Amino acid sequence: MSLTIAPQPLTAEAFAPFGDVLEAVGTPDKMINQGLCGRFHDRAILDFSDGQAGISLFDAEARSLPMSLDMVERHPDGSQAFLPLSRAPFLVVVAPDDGGKPGTPVAFITAPGQGVNYHRNVWHGVCAPLSEQGQFAVVDRIGDGPNLEEFWFKEEITIQG
Amino acid sequence: MSLTIAPQPLTAEAFAPFGDVLEAVGTPDKMINQGLCGRFHDRAILDFSDGQAGISLFDAEARSLPMSLDMVERHPDGSQAFLPLSRAPFLVVVAPDDGGKPGTPVAFITAPGQGVNYHRNVWHGVCAPLSEQGQFAVVDRIGDGPNLEEFWFKEEITIQG
């Protein structure tokens, strides 16, 4: 069996079952700094169970499309936000849960200014920058335990270019 | 009275009294994703007192140097991290506390890939991107109360270009 997936532009609506798109669009909740800065307030559903919030940095190697999707992973104990430290696009792959295994994956490509927050225990692909600018700030759970489940696909899955 | 401050390149050492520089430099704490991604683990001292962590987005107007520093602010109830969603530089102004008021400010300019986390109750300038790319993810306290103290300088303070 083989499956080919066409990535779509990342939108909050399409991504809602999996997490939050973090972007400064629309009307700010509040203007601060004497009217010079808009605050889009508290836009991620964070859940770190028995752990606590931390900020880590990721530096990931560039991927290119088409690419093979070998696996997805999930973090049973916490949400995980990826905030790109550049305006370069990255690939976001998620999958619904289907009885403890990932269902059919869905792929998105980000626009400049977009980050994502994967909700707790949502299947997702690994950090996949589509350029050499592969640095991200990551807000996730700091705590005990592995907090990681991987699923390796048996079928060939290709993310289209 | 007037004061002119020359901004310096942002380094973790110089910034340490005020907060954390968030950047993927040096040796990662861990390699993940089959060796394709370095994780620099838990690099910010987060403190949200009686509140909790949240991710907000800021969209700030560009500033240019030289600029006048009219005020600094601090957040008595929580730390605040600024993670630029671009590789454009931004201005970071901090000041030591001197008996409940800010002492002499210190100014830094970031390099690509650098964010900052202001420790709880540290005096700092407002969000000041030095280009049109003024979008940031901000990790700070979500909770009750104003959590804001402002100090307006009486003297003229200029941040040099």
Side-chain angles (χ1 to χ4, degrees), chain A residues 1 20 43 47-48 51 66 75 85 88 92 125 130 136 140 146 160:
Chain A
M1 280 209 2
D20 313 295
R43 294 295 176 100
D47 176 357
F48 305 117
H75 307 297
L85 298 173
V92 173
L130 295 172
F136 294 78
D140 65 0
Q160 283 181 333

Side-chain angles (χ1 to χ4, degrees), chain A residues 71-75 80 82 93-95 118 122-126:
Chain A
M71 59 87 75
V72 289
E73 62 183 35
R74 61 179 179 178
H75 307 297
Q80 187 175 47
F82 284 81
V93 174
V94 284
Y118 299 119
V122 165
W123 293 110
H124 61 273
V126 300

